Amino acid sequence: MAVEDWQHAGFGLYVHWPFCQSKCPYCDFNSHVVDRVDQTAWADALVADVRRIGAELGPRPLSSIFFGGGTPSLMPPATVAAVIDAATDVFSPSNALEITLEANPSSVEAERFKGYRTAGVNRVSLGVQALNDPDLRALGRLHSVAEARAAIDLAKSTFARVSFDLIYARQHQSLSDWDTELTEAVNFGTDHLSLYQLTVEPGTAFGARHARGGLGGLPGEDLSADMYALTQSVCDAAGMPAYEISNHARPGAECIHNKIYWQSGDYAGVGPGAHGRLTLNGARFATEAPRDPATWLRAANIQAAETRKAIPDDARLEEAVMMGLRTTQGIDLNRINTGSLSRIDALCADGWLVACNGRLAATSAGRPVLNEILRQLLA
């Protein structure tokens, strides 16, 4: 049987829990603050949708399950267990199945963490975002630095693998501030860090504030570039090199689920607003579920809870290049039509790209200017 392209990267399941305790001002994810959640109805709907997709796709090898949000650590462990049980029943779980759950330090409880571990979760990603209390308040976070440190310690004592997120290039943050904070972060001893530059997105509270001229103290391009360079050097020295523009890990601790995205694998999306990429009968489809939780809940109980749109070849190439070049591993040239790309030789000669051993990757100098590289490649 011929190997389909997605099989080079694997197959994962993304489960979106759309509810939060509060809406962060920088967040453009599909998250909602509500007074009450019918936990039984949501558990039943998530399980039903997993089983529906499983019946269609058959017992594909399953490399990862990722619970994102929203705030998945507000899910009862029983709901997490039910979804995992359904997924491992309808698909064929790998021996090294990675099951990640995102958690906020403010919603972390020891008993709940134990419940997630018992359910099968073996990796936790904590949304710490800052190690500075005034900045946490400015970011709209509900936890303190003390709570974040306690959550990291609890996660390390409960799960085999732990990651946490930080946002840098924040308002009024200096290079020295970030150096101090990042040095503390790498010394926590987790095996993975996600380190993102603050992006002001349209449709967010920060976006509206910025449009009114009220979001002062954001770093300029030069300081942002210096912060990125500092991030690479501190993490390299700590044995946590970047394997993607914003993600760092100890060797062997890279996030399997995110690598499926970046390497153009297949993934099914379950839950409000969840996106997916599925290969069916040789064609690749983009899937998207309704964003509104009530709309999704009704649909999941009566029909397929997503729309599907075939991805044409040129869009597949563009997506593969845009995602693959974010990683240090780059793109497998045997999987793409390089004849449709522009200026590969020139970009390699200029030191922005490197083609070696059948792969095309951005250099360390090229990754910070990836948008310009992509503009030239895809012209």
Side-chain angles (χ1 to χ4, degrees), residues 127-200:
V128 172
Q129 313 308 2
L131 294 171
N132 171 304
D133 281 329
D135 284 8
L136 283 172
R137 290 192 290 272
L139 291 171
R141 307 299 289 170
L142 299 180
H143 63 273
S144 66
V145 172
E147 288 173 312
R149 292 179 179 135
I152 292 169
D153 287 341
L154 178 60
K156 287 171 57 183
S157 69
T158 309
F159 299 98
R161 298 177 59 197
V162 177
S163 176
F164 64 92
D165 298 358
L166 290 176
I167 295 172
Y168 66 98
R170 305 189 301 260
Q171 291 175 273
H172 310 293
Q173 186 182 38
S174 70
L175 188 63
S176 176
D177 292 337
W178 177 230
D179 190 6
T180 299
E181 191 167 336
L182 183 57
T183 299
E184 180 180 1
V186 298
N187 286 333
F188 279 126
T190 61
D191 60 9
H192 190 285
L193 288 172
S194 295
L195 306 170
Y196 303 104
Q197 289 197 30
L198 176 65
T199 303
V200 179

Side-chain angles (χ1 to χ4, degrees), residues 14 21 24 32 35 60 76 97 132 142 152 212 217 254 261 268 319 330 360:
Y14 174 75
Q21 292 174 304
C24 296
H32 304 263
D35 294 329
R60 285 191 179 192
L97 177 63
N132 171 304
L142 299 180
I152 292 169
R212 298 192 302 268
E254 299 84 359
Y261 295 161
E319 188 172 274
L360 181 69

Side-chain angles (χ1 to χ4, degrees), residues 226-248:
D226 288 344
M227 287 181 167
Y228 175 83
L230 176 69
T231 301
Q232 311 317 304
S233 61
V234 170
C235 290
D236 284 350
M240 301 181 73
Y243 68 101
E244 189 268 348
I245 285 178
S246 301
N247 286 272
H248 299 253

Side-chain angles (χ1 to χ4, degrees), residues 25-368:
Y26 58 85
C27 177
D28 68 340
F29 294 161
N30 187 35
S31 59
H32 304 263
V33 179
V34 297
D35 294 329
R36 178 181 175 276
V37 175
D38 185 335
Q39 298 290 352
T40 299
W42 276 88
D44 290 347
L46 289 169
V47 167
D49 214 31
V50 170
R51 290 195 174 279
R52 175 189 61 79
I53 294 171
E56 180 179 15
L57 299 181
R60 285 191 179 192
L62 180 66
S63 299
S64 72
I65 303 172
F66 194 103
F67 291 89
T71 306
S73 52
L74 296 176
M75 299 174 72
T79 299
V80 174
V83 172
I84 293 171
D85 288 347
T88 53
D89 182 40
V90 297
F91 300 116
S92 297
S94 74
N95 291 333
L97 177 63
E98 176 188 88
I99 305 179
T100 300
L101 184 136
E102 292 183 333
N104 277 345
S106 58
S107 62
V108 165
E109 300 172 4
E111 289 306 311
R112 182 165 288 198
F113 262 21
K114 290 177 183 176
Y116 295 143
R117 184 185 62 192
T118 300
V121 173
N122 53 25
R123 183 179 183 273
V124 162
S125 178
L126 292 166
V128 172
Q129 313 308 2
L131 294 171
N132 171 304
D133 281 329
D135 284 8
L136 283 172
R137 290 192 290 272
L139 291 171
R141 307 299 289 170
L142 299 180
H143 63 273
S144 66
V145 172
E147 288 173 312
R149 292 179 179 135
I152 292 169
D153 287 341
L154 178 60
K156 287 171 57 183
S157 69
T158 309
F159 299 98
R161 298 177 59 197
V162 177
S163 176
F164 64 92
D165 298 358
L166 290 176
I167 295 172
Y168 66 98
R170 305 189 301 260
Q171 291 175 273
H172 310 293
Q173 186 182 38
S174 70
L175 188 63
S176 176
D177 292 337
W178 177 230
D179 190 6
T180 299
E181 191 167 336
L182 183 57
T183 299
E184 180 180 1
V186 298
N187 286 333
F188 279 126
T190 61
D191 60 9
H192 190 285
L193 288 172
S194 295
L195 306 170
Y196 303 104
Q197 289 197 30
L198 176 65
T199 303
V200 179
E201 300 285 358
T204 65
F206 270 7
R209 197 180 307 169
H210 189 260
R212 298 192 302 268
L215 201 66
L218 294 175
E221 288 186 8
D222 289 346
L223 178 54
S224 293
D226 288 344
M227 287 181 167
Y228 175 83
L230 176 69
T231 301
Q232 311 317 304
S233 61
V234 170
C235 290
D236 284 350
M240 301 181 73
Y243 68 101
E244 189 268 348
I245 285 178
S246 301
N247 286 272
H248 299 253
R250 303 191 189 284
E254 299 84 359
C255 178
I256 292 172
H257 190 84
N258 284 340
K259 288 176 72 175
I260 290 174
Y261 295 161
W262 297 322
Q263 295 172 5
S264 299
D266 267 13
Y267 51 98
V270 168
H275 290 255
R277 294 291 185 274
L278 296 177
T279 303
L280 301 165
N281 299 318
R284 188 163 168 86
F285 293 86
T287 71
E288 182 177 0
R291 289 178 60 86
D292 176 64
T295 301
W296 181 87
L297 190 62
R298 288 192 299 269
N301 287 313
I302 60 175
Q303 62 190 20
E306 82 256 349
T307 58
R308 292 182 182 175
K309 184 177 180 181
I311 307 176
D313 288 345
D314 58 343
R316 289 181 64 173
L317 173 67
E318 181 174 334
E319 188 172 274
V321 171
M322 290 177 66
M323 298 296 279
L325 287 182
R326 292 183 62 88
T327 69
T328 55
Q329 185 179 8
I331 307 164
D332 183 347
L333 291 172
N334 292 318
R335 294 177 62 194
I336 65 171
N337 176 16
T338 57
S340 298
L341 300 178
S342 302
R343 304 196 75 248
I344 289 180
D345 291 343
L347 289 165
C348 287
D350 290 341
W352 306 120
L353 294 177
V354 59
C356 183
N357 297 324
R359 304 195 71 87
L360 181 69
T363 63
S364 57
R367 281 192 292 278

